Amino acid sequence: MESPLLPAEPMLWSGWGDPARAAELPAPVRDLLTELLGVRAPATPAATFGEVRLPPVALPPPVLAALAAVTGEEHVRADDDARIRHTRGKSTPDLLLMRAGDASDAPDAVVLPGSHEEVAEVLRLCAEHRVAVVPFGGGTSVVGGLTAARRHLHSGGFTGVVALDLGRLDRLRSVDPVSMTAVLEPGLRAPQAERLLAGHGLTLGHFPQSYEYATLGGFAAARSSGQASAGYGRFDDMVVGMTVATPRGTLEIGRAPRSAAGPDLRQVFLGSEGAFGVITSLRLRVHPAPAVRAYEGWRFENFAAGTAALRRLAQEGAQESALPTVLRLSDETETMVGLAKPTDLAAPGSDSGCLVVAGFEGAPGEVARRRELAAALLLEAGGVHLGPEPGEKWAQGRFSAPYLRDSLLAAGATVETLETACFWADLPRLYDAVRLALHGALGSPLVMCHISHVYATGASLYFTVVTAQTGDPLAQWAAAKRAAGEAIIGAGGTISHHHGVGRDHLEAYAAEIGDLGGEILRGIKERLDPAGILNPGVLIPMY
């Protein structure tokens, strides 16, 4: 697989990614959606950029002037273009609102600091003037993580809201080839980081579906997990140190690869979604860039058999260093309709069973050894080798599914994803519970699932849901999301494996961590951000 190119600029304001890749669904696919799900074209066409409704700028001119004195006037923007492009993230509800021309949650201004010192001073000023601050990386949140509450239970009303765009913090500061670490800034988009590290023969190995646009700071703030996590680990595993600016001051965290000097304060900010501080640099574990990438497909008779095989690989294969770099299993429905190959959505095919994609990266001899060991285990577990073609097709289209979602929304389908994780023993119950909840909430949707990340003790489940839009698609999905969240908590899963909490998961997250857990988070928030300006309304229950 060739390394993806740098993303186009700017990102599509009402959809995903590169505007040049937005495409209408072919007529046969539209006919199929109508036949199977009753999908009809929306009664109202999507708004154009010029039709977007923006609220007036609420920030007083003296506050805007004070911010401009910190970053430079050209780096404080209150024009329509900047405000619209920093409104919300990329969840289906976010996109439905933008397609309707609703930018009521737009920030009053976009501030682009160029250094840690500028970030710290912006936070100080915003705390002084009670201005809410939403840290903004690639804008790829799918859990409502980029919409600040202008009035808040704890903090009351704010003077205004700024999006703190970290795109100017985009440098590779240093590489330590002895320790195999690198210090990078949080505004680097993943392809930019990979290009810079490739100059040193290195890679992060972090390739989530948001790869083309997401930033390193966003990966850390949301505990991202890439598609190659079986080989390279999750992003939070890669973070060995960080610098964080808070309204109370600066924290330098991470003096050694492991420490017994009290609780690990990195964990306060990993997954914090900008609610506790703003990450301004990251020391990350890096790897030699692989000389070989090899992807292949395997077929299992059903999802249960495939799940059992993945569990054996995650447990026995890991002990023998046979675990693939990429390992994922699509259920029968996802395999049948073609979403195992993210560029496709086709009529049901004749092939039955479930597709496993296994990918191996590294030195030639090491890749050959791991493929041989993994193949022996998969064959013993009942797998049928399909050769390289299914794996290579998946690799070629691995970042395309969000573009397909845009096409489906334009055709009149509500389509969204949700993900969870649990221990292996609970996985069948969790899988059934979420599917049952979605069918109960939506009638007869198309519900697909794959295991996307595996561990010795458990795995994640990633669901994709397609259904015909009702007259109120926002309420339609909110009901389905609520039902799925209750099912996840009831079946012993976590409300999020790698998307974060944001605003969308707050209710279920509160149930997951309990009252005392919520008190702990509120205590941290009140100590680090006493004015409550950092991403208010996100992550912290009852705050």
Side-chain angles (χ1 to χ4, degrees):
M1 183 194 71
E2 293 182 2
S3 296
L5 299 175
L6 291 178
E9 296 285 358
M11 197 175 189
L12 184 62
W13 66 275
S14 61
W16 180 266
D18 182 354
R21 293 177 63 183
E24 187 177 352
L25 287 176
V29 175
R30 294 199 304 273
D31 293 343
L32 175 67
L33 291 169
T34 299
E35 179 183 348
L36 293 182
L37 301 174
V39 171
R40 298 288 187 273
T44 305
T48 65
F49 192 83
E51 294 171 335
V52 175
R53 302 178 300 279
L54 272 170
V57 173
L59 278 176
V63 175
L64 287 170
L67 292 169
V70 175
T71 63
E73 188 173 349
E74 68 275 24
H75 301 307
V76 176
R77 296 182 56 186
D79 57 279
D80 290 357
D81 186 87
R83 295 178 68 203
I84 289 171
R85 295 187 187 281
H86 289 79
T87 301
R88 308 188 186 97
K90 298 298 182 182
S91 70
T92 288
D94 290 337
L95 298 187
L96 287 169
L97 286 167
M98 296 308 293
R99 290 174 62 85
D102 180 350
S104 55
D105 292 321
D108 296 298
V110 179
V111 180
L112 296 99
S115 66
H116 169 85
E117 291 73 22
E118 289 185 4
V119 171
E121 181 60 14
V122 167
L123 295 185
R124 188 196 66 78
L125 273 172
C126 287
E128 177 184 342
H129 293 283
R130 296 198 51 73
V131 177
V133 178
V134 180
F136 195 99
T140 61
S141 169
V142 291
V143 292
L146 297 176
T147 306
R150 286 183 178 261
R151 294 198 62 82
H152 206 253
L153 177 68
H154 173 82
S155 305
F158 294 102
T159 306
V161 175
V162 299
L164 190 72
D165 189 318
L166 300 170
R168 292 178 62 212
L169 296 178
D170 62 354
R171 293 174 285 268
L172 169 61
R173 291 188 182 176
S174 64
V175 172
D176 179 351
V178 176
S179 306
M180 289 299 285
T181 65
V183 178
L184 303 103
E185 293 185 331
L188 277 166
R189 288 185 175 176
Q192 295 170 317
E194 284 296 317
R195 183 184 64 178
L196 291 170
L197 290 171
H200 299 267
L202 301 170
T203 182
L204 285 173
H206 191 71
F207 305 105
Q209 201 166 72
S210 61
Y211 171 82
E212 295 172 294
Y213 284 89
T215 61
L216 303 188
F219 290 154
R223 286 191 183 273
S224 174
S225 192
Q227 294 167 342
S229 65
Y232 295 110
R234 292 166 53 95
F235 196 81
D236 46 5
D237 297 329
M238 301 178 188
V239 179
V240 296
M242 62 175 72
T243 303
V244 184
T246 80
R248 293 284 312 280
T250 294
L251 285 163
E252 298 280 356
I253 306 169
R255 299 177 66 89
R258 291 289 186 270
S259 171
D264 187 349
L265 292 180
R266 286 176 301 180
Q267 303 306 320
V268 173
F269 298 98
L270 292 170
S272 66
E273 302 181 37
F276 297 148
V278 178
I279 298 167
T280 58
S281 75
L282 291 157
R283 183 179 297 276
L284 301 174
R285 176 169 51 88
V286 293
H287 308 268
V292 174
R293 290 186 174 97
Y295 298 90
E296 60 191 25
W298 290 78
R299 177 193 169 277
F300 282 84
E301 183 177 359
N302 52 51
F303 194 58
T307 299
L310 261 62
R311 179 178 62 82
R312 286 191 60 187
L313 263 180
Q315 293 173 343
E316 300 172 29
Q319 294 175 5
E320 300 175 5
S321 299
L323 189 62
T325 309
V326 173
L327 185 62
R328 55 195 290 123
L329 164 70
S330 294
D331 72 0
E332 291 88 345
T333 306
E334 185 171 284
T335 300
M336 180 179 66
V337 302
L339 276 188
K341 302 184 290 293
T343 52
D344 299 338
L345 180 64
S350 58
D351 292 340
S352 60
C354 295
L355 176 67
V356 167
V357 170
F360 302 84
E361 300 184 3
E366 175 64 13
V367 165
R369 186 190 68 81
R370 286 164 54 214
R371 288 183 76 177
E372 182 179 354
L373 290 171
L377 195 152
L378 291 169
L379 285 168
E380 185 179 327
V384 176
H385 190 227
L386 303 178
E389 192 256 356
E392 290 174 355
K393 279 193 172 181
W394 171 83
Q396 291 164 5
R398 64 197 294 187
F399 307 121
S400 299
Y403 294 97
L404 178 58
R405 179 184 61 165
D406 286 354
S407 302
L408 288 164
L409 285 173
T414 292
V415 54
E416 185 58 298
T417 62
L418 54 91
E419 40 79 40
T420 179
C422 68
F423 298 111
W424 287 112
D426 298 324
L427 204 72
R429 181 165 66 106
L430 180 61
Y431 174 72
D432 289 341
V434 175
R435 293 171 72 245
L436 183 64
L438 290 169
H439 279 278
L442 295 171
S444 300
L446 183 66
V447 180
M448 297 159 279
C449 183
H450 62 262
I451 292 176
S452 55
H453 307 275
V454 300
Y455 309 93
T457 53
S460 70
L461 292 173
Y462 191 103
F463 294 88
T464 302
V465 188
V466 185
T467 191
Q469 286 181 17
T470 64
D472 188 350
L474 288 169
Q476 175 191 30
W477 179 247
K481 183 85 166 183
R482 188 178 312 110
E486 291 172 357
I488 286 170
I489 298 303
T494 178
I495 194 58
S496 178
H497 172 262
H498 57 267
H499 283 168
V501 174
R503 300 176 75 172
D504 296 353
H505 290 158
L506 263 179
E507 184 178 346
Y509 182 54
E512 180 173 334
I513 65 174
D515 292 342
L516 184 56
E519 286 185 29
I520 293 169
L521 292 182
R522 291 191 293 275
I524 295 171
K525 175 74 169 177
E526 290 161 8
R527 179 61 61 178
L528 291 174
D529 179 22
I533 62 166
L534 285 171
N535 220 357
V538 167
L539 179 68
I540 303 168
M542 298 299 294
Y543 181 79

